[in-house]
Amino acid sequence: MVRLIDENGLRIDGRRPDQLRPIKMEAGVLEKSDGSAYIEVGGTRIYAAVFGPREVHPKHLELPDRAVLNCRYHMASFSVDERKPLGMTRREIELSKVLREALETVVFLEEFPRMMIDVFVEVVQADGGTRTAGITAASLALADAGIPMADMVAATAVGKVDGVIVLDINEAEDKYGQADMPVAMAPRLGSIVLLQLNGMMTTEEIEKGLDMAGNAIKHIQQLQIEALRRRYHIEAGGEEV
Amino acid sequence: MVRLIDENGLRIDGRRPDQLRPIKMEAGVLEKSDGSAYIEVGGTRIYAAVFGPREVHPKHLELPDRAVLNCRYHMASFSVDERKPLGMTRREIELSKVLREALETVVFLEEFPRMMIDVFVEVVQADGGTRTAGITAASLALADAGIPMADMVAATAVGKVDGVIVLDINEAEDKYGQADMPVAMAPRLGSIVLLQLNGMMTTEEIEKGLDMAGNAIKHIQQLQIEALRRRYHIEAGGEEV
Amino acid sequence: MVRLIDENGLRIDGRRPDQLRPIKMEAGVLEKSDGSAYIEVGGTRIYAAVFGPREVHPKHLELPDRAVLNCRYHMASFSVDERKPLGMTRREIELSKVLREALETVVFLEEFPRMMIDVFVEVVQADGGTRTAGITAASLALADAGIPMADMVAATAVGKVDGVIVLDINEAEDKYGQADMPVAMAPRLGSIVLLQLNGMMTTEEIEKGLDMAGNAIKHIQQLQIEALRRRYHIEAGGEEV
Amino acid sequence: MSYTAIGERGYAAKITRNRIYELLREGRRIDGREPLEYRRITVKTGVVEKADGSAIVSLGSTKILTGVKVEVGSPYPDRPNEGVFTVNAELLPLASKSFEAGPPDERAVELSRVVDRCLRESHAIDLESLAIVKGEKVYMIYIDCYVLDYDGNYFDTSVLSAVAALMSGSLPKYRVADGKVEKVEGERIPIPLKTIPVSVTIGLIKDMLLVDPIPIEENVVDTSIIAGYTSDSVVAALQKNTPGFMPVDLLKKALEIGKLKSQELRGKLLESLGHALEKQ
Amino acid sequence: MSYTAIGERGYAAKITRNRIYELLREGRRIDGREPLEYRRITVKTGVVEKADGSAIVSLGSTKILTGVKVEVGSPYPDRPNEGVFTVNAELLPLASKSFEAGPPDERAVELSRVVDRCLRESHAIDLESLAIVKGEKVYMIYIDCYVLDYDGNYFDTSVLSAVAALMSGSLPKYRVADGKVEKVEGERIPIPLKTIPVSVTIGLIKDMLLVDPIPIEENVVDTSIIAGYTSDSVVAALQKNTPGFMPVDLLKKALEIGKLKSQELRGKLLESLGHALEKQ
Amino acid sequence: MSYTAIGERGYAAKITRNRIYELLREGRRIDGREPLEYRRITVKTGVVEKADGSAIVSLGSTKILTGVKVEVGSPYPDRPNEGVFTVNAELLPLASKSFEAGPPDERAVELSRVVDRCLRESHAIDLESLAIVKGEKVYMIYIDCYVLDYDGNYFDTSVLSAVAALMSGSLPKYRVADGKVEKVEGERIPIPLKTIPVSVTIGLIKDMLLVDPIPIEENVVDTSIIAGYTSDSVVAALQKNTPGFMPVDLLKKALEIGKLKSQELRGKLLESLGHALEKQ
């Protein structure tokens, strides 16, 4: 039995229950896509890239009244402890759907009828919270690509470990803890766009977790905005801030 | 350690280093394709067939300014010592590409815009040099189908065994030797259209090998021409030559 | 060695050689398809559903002069003793073809050019005779969907066990017996539309089997007609007969 | 690759959406139900004797068949003393015009994983009591759900169907003799369950919530949430599905509704199962 | 999912059908044959030395290569004392415009299974004599048929080709020494066959029967039947293929014709094999 | 089935081709480089701690991530005393408009096989020292290359990336105790390399050669050759790719150029690796 909260109420990596891991973000890291981003949340490392709006391929997926948004969440074989087999696992297929639905919520698809926007999320290293870090990066990449959105989505996971509701759970907390609840929000609209739960929480605990997540997500959106600002200054002024 | 060159400088099958194995070729061996050929090089046995120029299927592969050339290199399950699993291996996928690119080089694709030419290479028995015998047969089948080409491609492999550069390596030499370099040329143009190397050779050895291959390929083209001539006489005069 | 016919000439489930197992049939059991049926023959249990005539998808399968008829025969993983792996087995692919060809024989496809009719057969439990019960159900579902047919196909299997020609063989008789001959007929036309044989029978035995099957199939068609009549009365009068 | 679904929302849908919303405000549904009313549940168990457990559960016209098959196998190396279970779900093409033949698409994969989540995270199946020889031989339970007729809400119906199949099913008994595992013919033991998970699907249109949506509603809801509850009304699984905003306060309301509806559904399931098991 | 084949029957086909039917009534075929006449059979064996048996059999221009490969493996648990064989058939795209590259389609699957049926149900291969160590090690025979040139009737040609490959092939010999199975180098034994199955394909147009159809005939027959016969003229396999009605009385007639033609074909095969084996 | 690539060469390409050729004759490139000049190489190692070795190598804007994962497994029966390695390469769709999601296409397969060839035929990895227990347990090294950003020349970049990942990586240590293989926690040993293979991609337009092509050049070259060299400047792998004639004399010239450029690239790689490993 792994003990996840010590006598001082601190977590195995020394964090307080409501503390995020260190986050690093950068926009515009890949040249050949129309928008891109890189994110690190603790040991989790993810690239995201966006292509479009562009012509729909294959053609029969085209929609007359709005753009099609496609999304692929994919992990590198070496991103996890046990080498992941090549090809898409069922988990990756599900998360691709969940991420797509969350992003479709905020992107103004009606502005681009008969077009397609592709979002690719590539997990280079997984240390917990890959779907939430992934959607944060994807949203930043969409902004970098200049795709109009109702809000920039940001995300984190809350969890329950040793009976305590904690923010931004890491891999060990995910594995040995009692619950993992990834949440993505459109923070300015105060609305959830992605929500899942694996594990047991009472409705009260979920409410507490959502509040915790809500605050953190506002902070993460600030980091996104800063990343965009850095990217903008570099491009505008030609020098790093 | 297998000894591949004996004290007289002869190879395990008794050949001199610059000697080809016996080659048999025949054009027009299959009735239902538009052109076909059969080749034996030592124990290697291959059928090739050509269909087209015909309408492109699937339609979206069509090119406005020239024909599409498709190629499939495939081995029968029993063609090798250990039964090959059904379906295309990665090796077969690569060789299909390499063969296609070599044939595209010589076929006048611009003459058949919006059309398709299919080339199928079926290895019935593999005893070394299947891709080179395969392209030789494919080229003969193209000629049999009346497809216009800049030159009729012929091919062989040179290799290095026991430190000696040898022509047309067989399976044992491929397996236990130091290098295998398949070469296909358009002999009248003196140009290479396919080249690969597995194994270690100095640039000098490669040059020597290319010269050796060049001479052999001229000879092999003669055999192709003779095969076409036999085929022509049979069809014209109704009797075998 | 299993003994399949006892000293009284009765079979392991107590039937006489020319006796069918209990059969239950119901039309219109699924709401969302255009026609449907459920059948039980002994322990064999099958659903069938029909969609169409509707637009062809994918488009390129469309035929200018008649409808396309598609058929899928599929078994639930738990329908057999050893759990069947997910996905279509070669057996299921073959039976889909055989069933399609049998149904195409009787459906007036020419009446629906550029349209498509889909027939789905789902084996929920397999206890021998799934393809024959399946086609009986499929035909009933086609009738329920109002698709015009030359005749309503019905089917059963005859077999040879312990040297005796028997009707409607069950799973044990199939496994330990000498032959299994599934037969589907258009009974009013006296014509065979599906016929297969696994196992050894003389031509005389086959003739005898066909006669036995022919009589049984007429009876099974009566059951189909009764099922349709029940379905009709329910819908018309709003009450069960 | 997940693609925006064709026709998920069209122009005509907007008119329907308004109509459904107006009805909801009046406390009604397009099929006559109240907003928080489930359709009729029917349960038939023991429908496939070759399975070790089976059930057809209907929610209105939606009909889902689950079969349970038990094998003996090796445990996972990191869980040597636990049995193993696997959930698979298929959207059979005979169930709906919107389902296609072929390998499971992302909807089927999501359904499998949500059913799995409801069972696994609630610890419904007592995996530790499924070890036959610790570290070596364990029960492996395959739970396969097939959608036979699709009139909306495959999530809740599948969970009910899977639970009904497990509760009415049983395991062959094994004995260990001389280090060998052998089946005790004719004896069977119940599948050990620690809780009865039930999921509740709640749709949202503007500020109104509804449960157990039918396809016409699924097509126009702003978004929806599937919540899985244990017998103690603890939430064990959540899945927001369908693109759209879910305001936090409405989510909280939805979870409270879900708690009540899950108790109601579980009650009906147990009642039906009682009847069904008596009949069986 | 099995789809109605494109172009299986068109308008032009009706004219051809009438023409073929009129000829049949005069006892003739479009290629000059009589209705119940097979095309010329040629047999070449030993064409692939790396195989444990191989043959190219031609029926007219239809040419099918079969290779047999032998491995040692474990028996099926329910048949511990029997060897194992597997048949696969591929419609190579070089053989016909109507074949496509890619995984086997339903025609190839049907062909594999019909060839398998002819061999298996006739008990042609003596599986019991293929056990090396009972319950542990048995011969596993892989029989792979490749259609090289397709001018109709791949069923009968494949069966002939498979049988020719088996009859001209051989098994490596194994010895059991100290509980280990080891190959006896240089020694080979024949593949044990108990009967020589041969299939006959019979097409039907209205009230006329024909054998060994070519593609132009395959496209217009009302239906057809493939019948596999043992050396004793017992029917071991049947497969109606092609949509269409098969009246019972014509089927009976077809089976009698098949009996005679199978004897004729078997005779020709054995004769050719004799020649081929002499040459080899 | 390999298909002629759509848009591989269009009309517009001919104008570009002439422009690039004219520039080459003046000793220039479209991006300002000289014909035989590589773009800037940057190397970052240790980018994925969960991998047993990892590196991102950039050649200009082309960026390729390689991760090495080590397992213990059984050797191949015909090489009982050697470890095993496998190379896989994926053209991730986020790297370029021209890459698609889905199973590896023929370009990705070719890339995998060319990287494999450079490593294997140069005997770069000392497979014999990868046996843990001869004939029974060996190291299995999985080398997976992912193209993250594609601006031309994925061959050379992948080889550099794979080599950087191997050189900066390490193997877990195993001890054999009482016939059992157990991991020595905390101890790691370098991956044994015998040479440092480097590939050079050379394009040809008419009579002019260029190295390290960018996509606009890849689209118009007559043909190109990838040559892999050992540390001793022996050629260990060749792959002509792109349809087109390669005159023998130009090939010979290309191989000499390749020899020099490979030395230069290897030097830069080692220098960068030195920096990178210091940082790590």
Side-chain angles (χ1 to χ4, degrees), chain C residues 30-32 34 45 47 49 51 57 72 76-81 83 86 120 122 124-126 171, chain D residues 47-50 56 61 65 67 69 71 88 90 92-95 97 100 142 144 146 148-151:
Chain C
L30 303 175
E31 295 217 357
K32 292 300 163 180
D34 296 318
R45 288 176 200 161
Y47 286 87
F51 291 86
H57 174 75
R72 189 175 99 131
S77 58
F78 44 74
S79 64
V80 283
D81 290 326
R83 181 169 181 266
L86 304 173
F120 300 107
E122 293 291 338
V124 160
Q125 182 160 275
E171 194 178 38
Chain D
V47 293
V48 180
E49 293 91 348
K50 292 207 174 186
I56 292 181
S61 300
L65 165 64
K69 223 40 177 178
E71 296 179 4
N88 190 61
E90 298 208 11
L92 293 178
L94 95 167
K97 283 187 209 322
E100 285 186 25
Y142 295 92
D144 292 314
Y146 291 94
L148 292 177
D149 209 0
Y150 181 61
D151 194 30

Side-chain angles (χ1 to χ4, degrees), chain D:
Chain D
M1 197 74 160
S2 174
Y3 297 92
T4 299
I6 289 174
E8 216 166 55
R9 274 122 211 272
Y11 287 120
K14 292 193 181 157
I15 297 160
T16 311
R17 180 166 176 273
N18 285 337
R19 190 165 146 237
I20 288 175
Y21 179 70
E22 290 308 321
L23 281 172
L24 284 174
R25 286 181 54 114
E26 297 165 20
R28 294 194 293 145
R29 300 273 281 278
I30 210 156
D31 60 358
R33 280 185 289 159
E34 290 177 20
L36 303 184
E37 186 183 344
Y38 265 76
R39 290 170 291 174
R40 184 158 166 253
I41 300 174
T42 63
V43 179
K44 272 177 72 177
T45 57
V47 293
V48 180
E49 293 91 348
K50 292 207 174 186
D52 298 292
S54 63
I56 292 181
V57 171
S58 302
L59 214 46
S61 300
T62 294
K63 198 192 284 275
I64 297 181
L65 165 64
T66 299
V68 170
K69 223 40 177 178
V70 179
E71 296 179 4
V72 173
S74 306
Y76 287 119
D78 56 340
R79 307 255 177 180
N81 303 328
E82 294 186 3
V84 169
F85 77 92
T86 303
V87 175
N88 190 61
E90 298 208 11
L91 307 177
L92 293 178
L94 95 167
S96 166
K97 283 187 209 322
S98 68
F99 299 163
E100 285 186 25
D105 64 9
E106 63 175 29
R107 293 176 298 173
V109 169
E110 185 185 31
L111 175 57
S112 303
R113 288 181 54 86
V114 168
V115 176
D116 183 282
R117 202 168 291 158
C118 288
L119 293 173
R120 192 174 307 279
E121 300 296 341
S122 66
H123 303 150
I125 301 174
D126 183 2
L127 294 177
E128 286 188 17
S129 70
L130 292 183
I132 299 169
V133 181
K134 285 193 177 184
E136 294 192 13
K137 292 287 172 206
V138 299
Y139 287 103
M140 307 184 71
I141 299 181
Y142 295 92
I143 301 164
D144 292 314
C145 304
Y146 291 94
V147 182
L148 292 177
D149 209 0
Y150 181 61
D151 194 30
N153 196 8
Y154 49 56
F155 289 106
D156 299 350
T157 320
S158 294
V159 174
L160 291 168
S161 178
V163 168
L166 287 166
M167 290 185 73
S168 62
S170 59
L171 305 172
K173 200 168 166 183
Y174 289 91
R175 168 172 50 209
V176 185
D178 303 337
K180 279 194 175 175
V181 169
E182 55 184 44
K183 200 185 250 190
V184 184
E185 288 304 334
E187 286 193 45
R188 299 187 69 90
I189 49 177
I191 300 175
L193 297 181
K194 299 197 292 185
T195 194
I196 298 171
V198 161
S199 82
V200 175
T201 296
I202 301 159
L204 165 73
I205 301 186
K206 294 183 192 170
D207 55 345
M208 299 297 300
L209 298 171
L210 57 89
V211 300
D212 183 25
I214 55 177
I216 197 172
E217 294 166 337
E218 292 178 334
N219 279 335
V220 301
V221 291
D222 289 340
T223 192
S224 58
I225 186 98
I226 301 110
Y229 294 84
T230 66
S231 299
D232 300 331
S233 290
V234 174
V235 186
L238 285 176
Q239 181 88 339
K240 177 180 176 300
N241 104 322
T242 317
F245 292 112
M246 172 67 83
V248 175
D249 55 335
L250 284 171
L251 173 69
K252 291 177 182 172
K253 198 172 152 193
L255 294 180
E256 291 306 322
I257 289 168
K259 200 189 279 189
L260 294 174
K261 300 313 287 186
S262 71
Q263 290 160 2
E264 182 188 316
L265 275 180
R266 190 178 297 105
K268 286 187 188 169
L269 173 67
L270 290 174
E271 195 190 340
S272 303
L273 261 179
H275 293 298
L277 291 172
E278 267 172 38
K279 271 201 197 172
Q280 198 177 316

